[in-house]
Amino acid sequence: MASLSSAALFGAACLAALTVSPASAADVPTFEMTLKDHVFTPSEIEVPANQRFQIKLTNADATPDEFDSHDLRVEKVVGGGQTGIIRVQPLVPGRYMFMGEYHAATARGVVTAK
């Protein structure tokens, strides 16, 4: 029984040594955006290229919408009156389109990575 306990402790120590702690939220640039009357404000943001970032989206509408971007490879439903965080992986320099899927005619925007 003692050898099993020692093996379990050794395994846990190895796992802890291999665990990489993620960067704190303070290390990730955050861009604030509001969705109101099915329109994103600002509708264009400039982000640093080759660096993770996040968008803090406040949905000021009464109904939910989905922040959707094939270009950014993200989808996130944010309920009416709610705030959501959209995490985006590093981007090469370029322009990336996004939309509010439930109101795509008016909820549109662009992320430019420089």
Side-chain angles (χ1 to χ4, degrees), residues 7-66:
L9 287 174
F10 177 75
C14 289
L15 182 59
L18 294 175
T19 303
V20 177
S21 62
S24 72
D27 296 339
V28 178
T30 301
F31 299 87
E32 294 195 20
M33 186 178 291
T34 301
L35 181 65
K36 182 164 177 53
D37 299 325
H38 313 303
V39 175
F40 290 107
T41 303
S43 61
E44 296 187 28
I45 59 172
E46 187 175 301
V47 302
N50 304 308
Q51 183 177 346
R52 291 182 320 131
F53 68 94
Q54 58 189 20
I55 298 170
K56 181 178 178 183
L57 176 61
T58 300
N59 183 353
D61 289 330
T63 58
D65 209 331
E66 181 175 8

Side-chain angles (χ1 to χ4, degrees), residues 70-105:
H70 178 69
D71 294 348
L72 297 171
R73 291 173 277 151
V74 296
E75 294 181 15
K76 173 84 173 185
V77 175
V78 179
Q82 302 291 313
T83 298
I85 300 294
I86 296 113
R87 291 175 178 82
V88 183
Q89 295 303 312
L91 302 171
V92 296
R95 290 174 50 89
Y96 301 85
M97 308 298 286
F98 63 87
M99 68 177 178
E101 187 166 319
Y102 303 160
H103 301 94

